[in-house]
Amino acid sequence: MDEKESSLGFLSENAVVSLLRDTYLAFSERRDGLGLPNPGTVDNIAREVQKEVLLNNYAFSGLRADLTKAFSVTPLFQVSHSFSMSAGGIPPYAFAVLYGSPKVFLQGNLDNDLSLSARANYRWNSSFVTKTNTSVAPGSGQAMIQIDNDYTGKDFTASLKSMNPSILEGGLTGIFVASYLQAVTPKLALGLEAVWQRTAVDSGPETAVSYCAKYKGSDWTASAQLQAQGAVNTSYWRRLTEKVDAGVDLNLQFIGIGRGGGGLMGGGVRREGTTALGARYNFTTSTFRAQMDSSGKLGCLLEKRVAPPVTLTFAGEIDHFKQESKIGLAVSLESAGEELLEQQEKAGSSNALPPPF
């Protein structure tokens, strides 16, 4: 037994392993001494502009009413009913239930057409989270499943996504995306994203690689992404005052560059681009967003909390080139008792981790 242990111990106590271990520890100490922050994820590299200032995730048209009932704060548990009258493909009625704890987040949504969508996230530890997203629609024969794995380090974030992965056809099919974003200085982060796609076993896989960078100043942030096939996306966000921030987003598409594009054989390369400029005003009980872009669209959105449980939202958009306009009005009612408000105050003062949304 002693001879076996001594032979196995040689694998971890030899000079080569010791040199590699000492080199890694020295590199880790110097890396920790730089005090580099976590840069976020590649998907959210332009979050300040695309997801907070611009209207991409907020605009709607028609009438909408959301009724939410909260039963608990720790753990989080609530149900909601959504009613809509719109021509934008939103179902007239949807029922949703939500549960969240420091380790688990569950959400399900069922509309009047019996289309089901569900999310299930699990936090393995403080750094590693697995997220799943599933949707099933009756009659269409189409179902979607997406599995995300995010690891958050001190100064980097690594992610691995898979969309509709399968081995049932005799080979691996689906879409797989791997991304890595690393802080190289306290203000600069560099990253890349690789995509592997295979729709069927009898077709060859397709691959693509994109690169990104993010620079964060004291009150401004700039990011750039160079995607496959020559697409370029840049964004710039700046905080103007304590309650006002603005951002600009530029997207350029060079269609025809790349494999099979024919851009080098005499023409065939089309350049398309859009630029969007937006601003956000945060008041005490309301938020106002405005946006205009190079395609002739002008939009605005106002969220106003008229009472603690009632929020009104107004959205409008005008397309000057197409001579079209849209308008939307939404009412949100939230019901919670005094006990839940006390739980919320206690949860806000505690150091417990939030649910892995």
Side-chain angles (χ1 to χ4, degrees), residues 229-231 252-258 261-263 267-273:
Q229 306 300 327
L252 297 177
Q253 298 282 345
F254 297 94
I255 302 175
I257 295 180
V269 177
R270 299 201 319 267
R271 299 175 179 85
E272 299 179 358

Side-chain angles (χ1 to χ4, degrees), residues 114-129:
L114 300 182
S115 296
L116 176 65
S117 61
R119 295 172 58 196
N121 303 345
Y122 185 79
R123 177 182 280 120
W124 302 94
N125 52 49
S126 59
S127 300
F128 184 49
V129 177

Side-chain angles (χ1 to χ4, degrees), residues 75-76 99-106 119-123 354-357:
L76 179 63
Y99 172 83
S101 68
K103 278 189 168 293
V104 178
F105 174 75
L106 302 173
R119 295 172 58 196
N121 303 345
Y122 185 79
R123 177 182 280 120
F357 294 109

Side-chain angles (χ1 to χ4, degrees), residues 9 17-18 40 63-64 79 130 138 146 295 320 328 339-340 351 354 357:
V17 174
S18 298
L63 301 177
R64 194 180 70 193
V79 298
T130 297
Q146 178 175 327
S295 63
H320 292 87
E339 297 181 356
L340 296 182
N351 296 324
F357 294 109

